[in-house]
Amino acid sequence: MTAEGFGPAATRPAPAPVTLLIADDDEVTRSGLRTLLAAQPGIAVVGEAADGVEAVEQARRLRPDVVLMDVRMPRCNGIEATRQLLAEPAQSAQSAQSVGPPKVVVITTFENDGYVTAALSAGASGFVLKRLPVRQIAEAVRVVAAGEAILFPAALRRMVAARPLGSAEALPKAALTEREEEVLRLMATGLSNPDIAQSLMVSLETVKTHVGNVLTKLGAQNRTHAVVIAYESGLVVPGFTG
């Protein structure tokens, strides 16, 4: 059957894959992750790095959407590499396609690793465990690339308790609206934008607007930083579930 407006011309192009750089000092782990993640839909592995110095150099050269960053690496660990990457949002962006630094997902062996909270404070968008099934690691990469965050409220609370970032005054000065505060509280529970939209019974675009306003008003570099500010200011308290 043919009809005007239907057929090949009306087919939507497939979305571009998420480009990924893998940084891990263990060659076997790095090679395994590359092989497994490259086979996942919607992900294109564009490079590898064996230490933090190489991770920064490769990220600035290749401009991946996401860096999967191990913590314990020689020369420069994953925390410092994350800090360096996210501290210079525009200096390395030479091409018209560059829109800022990559997102960083920390990959670690233990959930209670103290390095994880330090990496989050350095600006990482979240962390995953090496023992997770590869499909879950791939999903974390896709989620972070889409502007979400992989948040673990317990880890964030530990970070706030152990290393205050001095942003407790940011929330009152930001003059968030009542709805923006509500969205921030839901962000702190780890909800994604679609989940927040469902909870508040509003459109996804409305939630994205509120999230953008929250980040701008707080001066937060990402969702994780905004949630840290929420905890530090007292807007969200341990045990809050939404």
Side-chain angles (χ1 to χ4, degrees):
M1 182 179 69
T2 60
E4 186 176 354
F6 292 89
T11 302
R12 293 183 179 180
V18 174
T19 54
L20 176 67
L21 172 69
I22 299 171
D24 196 299
D25 65 321
D26 184 84
E27 184 177 359
V28 174
T29 299
R30 192 172 66 249
S31 177
L33 285 170
R34 176 165 193 153
T35 299
L36 293 171
L37 288 170
Q40 294 295 305
I43 292 179
V45 180
V46 295
E48 299 178 16
D51 58 52
V53 172
E54 189 176 353
V56 173
E57 292 173 349
Q58 290 282 69
R60 289 174 176 168
R61 181 176 69 86
L62 298 171
R63 307 305 300 171
D65 298 315
V66 178
V67 177
L68 190 62
M69 185 83 75
D70 189 24
V71 175
R72 296 186 177 97
M73 294 187 292
R75 294 206 292 169
C76 173
N77 63 42
I79 298 167
E80 181 56 31
T82 297
R83 187 175 292 113
Q84 289 181 26
L85 277 178
L86 302 183
E88 301 176 359
Q91 289 184 6
S92 308
Q94 300 297 326
S95 74
Q97 295 180 339
S98 298
V99 292
K103 304 292 195 306
V104 175
V105 176
V106 172
I107 184 164
T108 184
T109 304
F110 303 106
E111 184 177 345
N112 63 353
D113 191 337
Y115 287 122
V116 170
T117 53
L120 292 177
S121 71
S125 294
F127 68 91
V128 292
L129 303 178
K130 290 184 178 181
R131 66 173 180 267
L132 288 177
V134 67
R135 68 179 185 279
Q136 292 185 26
I137 297 175
E139 180 61 17
V141 168
R142 288 189 288 261
V143 166
V144 165
E148 301 286 350
I150 307 299
L151 297 177
F152 291 78
L156 287 168
R157 290 196 295 271
R158 288 198 302 269
M159 176 174 63
V160 172
R163 185 183 176 184
L165 301 183
S167 54
E169 295 300 317
L171 190 63
K173 289 181 179 179
L176 299 180
T177 66
E178 183 176 345
R179 179 46 63 92
E180 287 166 355
E181 287 192 2
E182 189 174 13
V183 168
L184 179 54
R185 286 191 181 95
L186 293 174
M187 288 166 58
T189 69
L191 292 185
S192 66
N193 284 353
D195 291 334
I196 294 173
Q198 183 176 10
S199 176
L200 298 180
M201 294 185 290
V202 297
S203 72
L204 180 58
E205 289 304 315
T206 297
V207 171
K208 289 180 178 179
T209 297
H210 288 316
V211 170
N213 289 341
V214 167
L215 298 185
T216 298
K217 289 182 177 182
L218 294 181
Q221 56 189 329
N222 57 30
R223 293 168 73 101
T224 303
H225 188 197
V227 171
V228 169
I229 293 173
Y231 276 109
E232 290 186 331
S233 67
L235 177 68
V236 178
V237 297
F240 177 76
T241 58

